[in-house]
Amino acid sequence: RSTMEEPSGTHTKRKVVAVVGGGLVGSLNACYFAQRGFNVEVFETREDIRQAKIVRGRSINLALSHRGRQALKHVGMEEKIVSQGIPMHARMIHSLSGKQSPIPYGKKGQYILSVDRANLNKELLTEAEKYPNAKLNFDHKLQDWSPETGLMTFARSDGSTEHIEADLIVGCDGAFSAIRKQFLRRSRFNYSQTYIPHGYMELTMPPIDGEFAMKPNYLHIWPRNTFMMIALPNLDKTFTCTLFMPFEEFEKITMTSSASHFYYFRLPAQAMVSVKCSPYHIGDKCVLMGDAAHAVVPFYGQGMNAGFEDCIVFDEILNQFDEDLSAALPEYTRVRVPDDHAIADLAMYNYIEMRAHVNSKWFLFRKHVDNILHLLMPKTIIPLYTMVTFTRTRYHKAVERWHWQDKVKHKCFLSLSLSLSVLQIRPSVLGSVMWLHR
Ligand SMILES: Cc1cc2nc3c(=O)[nH]c(=O)nc-3n(C[C@H](O)[C@H](O)[C@H](O)COP(=O)(O)OP(=O)(O)OC[C@H]3O[C@@H](n4cnc5c(N)ncnc54)[C@H](O)[C@@H]3O)c2cc1C
Ligand SMILES: NC(=O)C1=CN([C@@H]2O[C@H](COP(=O)(O)OP(=O)(O)OC[C@H]3O[C@@H](n4cnc5c(N)ncnc54)[C@H](OP(=O)(O)O)[C@@H]3O)[C@@H](O)[C@H]2O)C=CC1
Ligand SMILES: Nc1ccccc1C(=O)C[C@H](N)C(=O)O
């Protein structure tokens, strides 16, 4: 079939945008393009999750932060989604002895939100459907498409196929994107994918006497150096716990009789992949966004937030280039690739911070110093976590600034140490200052 009919009475042809994938990023993107007045069609492989009894997916809940909120705000959805989320003000560290100690995420009043993935996806689909110029097509699995003509082939579950054309194809079909497959056949397309040796498994912690089993306004972490478990609260007073561990360890647990009676250990652990690629576009025909462009490991809680930010960035670029796709698409690649690659690296780093560094007194001391310096010089020293989570500082700029700040702090400590030595402060004191700043 051909693309959407033009509403009668319109003279100028509106661009037809096919959004492939009606997950988190695809459904939000549909709102962005529809708001702009483009004719939007979303093609999603699954049935409509709003009618499904069980929604299969990657994680039960997600951490929503500033970038994601800003993107939702742009389509008038921030308030609604935030009101359905649970604020998490700090990490709550559970030590081996059972002691719990909070590490705040930022200043007072700064928090990330635990939101239900399926509900967020449903709300976004419902919002997209409100636009008269947007149409959702479920049970449409993209099989193939042509970068030359923009012709796409979709498979239906009844065995039929549909051929559809669009002016612009937006690939939001997730980490194993079928749209991206055509990119891989092209010259000068860079691609890398890395599966980390750890897997994850989700478990549910039920309420106790109708109440949350632990304090709800925290992201709970059991950091055990080589592995960790985390827990995020849900509105039904359960927690979704996620155990992250090397695959071999999961296998050992599955095989030991002491643990095998827990039915959940019989489920296979899920893999985590990090995908980096460039460019994100082909001509003026196709662009990748969300996990299709940059699947990241989940440890910064930024995958969806980055995907949502992709939508704002593309929208800003369309404004800048007056909707000229041949200029906007290369600009999007130019602007966005360094940022998405930076958050992919930061996400890898944050796993080590969460499972190991938080156990170290030295790390906690440095974090404390950072917070104090931020309070004293809010414009000069900004903790990395704050830049990533509570601002829209470009991810790659946040990384650059983080390194620069470390150098500045290092120089300050050196000068302090020198001054102390001139004042003939005991060498042992000086030694510890130097050690602290190794
Ligand atoms: C365990 C875990 C925890 C996470 N926690 C967080 C978090 O706390 N915060 C955060 O920001 N991010 C988090 N993420 C990352 C987040 O889940 C992803 O970044 C986000 O889902 C990406 O959205 P997307 O729409 O690009 O892809 P997806 O959500 O994967 O959606 C892709 C959609 O495309 C559809 N599709 C696939 N192939 C086709 C096809 N051939 N034709 C048509 N449709 C197709 C799929 O059915 C799906 O609906 C987490 C990820 C994992 C694995
Ligand atoms: N950043 C990350 O770490 C991410 C990890 N994942 C992991 O990937 C798996 C799939 O998750 P999800 O998409 O939610 O659910 P599904 O398992 O329903 O996968 C959806 C579709 O993606 C394709 N697919 C799945 N796994 C792979 C693979 N390894 N290689 C190529 N294509 C694949 C399949 O397409 P087809 O039917 O055509 O073969 C499948 O039908 C899970 O194990 C999940 O943990 C997923 C996304 C992000
Ligand atoms: N949502 C997640 C899913 C998996 C692993 C971590 C997260 C986080 O959000 C971590 C949080 N940003 C932190 O740094 O404490």
Side-chain angles (χ1 to χ4, degrees), residues 114-231:
S114 174
V115 298
D116 182 291
R117 176 195 287 269
N119 181 60
L120 175 58
N121 204 160
K122 287 177 192 173
E123 293 281 8
L124 287 168
L125 289 169
T126 300
E127 188 65 21
E129 224 169 27
K130 286 185 188 158
Y131 293 89
N133 50 327
K135 185 172 172 231
L136 308 181
N137 304 275
F138 297 100
D139 181 23
H140 276 71
K141 179 172 182 169
L142 182 99
Q143 270 190 327
D144 200 8
W145 68 283
S146 157
E148 285 72 39
T149 61
L151 188 72
M152 295 167 282
T153 306
F154 290 95
R156 312 288 313 272
S157 52
D158 63 6
S160 64
T161 50
E162 268 186 38
H163 300 283
I164 292 162
E165 264 182 71
D167 296 311
L168 175 66
I169 299 169
V170 187
C172 298
D173 51 346
F176 308 107
S177 168
I179 289 284
R180 201 177 57 215
K181 283 188 187 131
Q182 281 296 335
F183 282 65
L184 286 163
R185 296 162 59 104
R186 297 178 77 84
S187 171
R188 300 184 61 210
F189 178 67
N190 293 313
Y191 179 83
S192 72
Q193 91 174 27
T194 308
Y195 277 93
I196 61 167
H198 293 226
Y200 72 91
M201 195 176 275
E202 287 187 315
L203 320 159
T204 301
M205 186 185 286
I208 297 179
D209 298 330
E211 283 308 318
F212 280 106
M214 303 180 294
K215 288 183 178 168
N217 295 111
Y218 296 90
L219 191 154
H220 292 263
I221 312 179
W222 291 260
R224 297 294 179 264
N225 296 317
T226 54
F227 69 98
M228 71 174 183
M229 189 169 86
I230 65 165

Side-chain angles (χ1 to χ4, degrees), residues 63 91 105 112 219 221 230 232 244 298-301 350 354 385:
R91 293 173 176 164
Y105 278 126
I112 57 178
L219 191 154
I221 312 179
I230 65 165
L232 273 72
F244 296 95
F299 306 109
Y300 225 115
N350 212 46
M354 287 182 79
Y385 198 84

Side-chain angles (χ1 to χ4, degrees), residues 45-46 56-58 141 173-176 181 193 195 200 269-275 291 295-298:
T45 195
R46 293 175 296 178
R56 283 189 56 218
R58 230 100 33 72
K141 179 172 182 169
D173 51 346
F176 308 107
K181 283 188 187 131
Q193 91 174 27
Y195 277 93
Y200 72 91
Q270 307 274 327
M272 285 169 283
V273 69
S274 186
V275 173
D291 277 18
V296 301
V297 290

Side-chain angles (χ1 to χ4, degrees), residues 311-362:
C311 302
I312 321 185
V313 171
F314 193 70
D315 194 66
E316 288 165 352
I317 292 173
L318 281 179
N319 285 342
Q320 195 185 332
F321 290 92
D322 210 13
E323 296 182 1
D324 172 1
L325 296 179
S326 62
L329 268 58
E331 177 66 2
Y332 175 73
T333 287
R334 191 188 69 78
V335 169
R336 203 56 185 155
V337 166
D339 290 328
D340 290 332
H341 288 193
I343 191 59
D345 296 339
L346 283 175
M348 292 282 189
Y349 157 77
N350 212 46
Y351 188 23
I352 305 166
E353 178 169 316
M354 287 182 79
R355 70 177 146 92
H357 291 175
V358 293
N359 289 325
S360 131
K361 289 209 168 73
W362 165 230

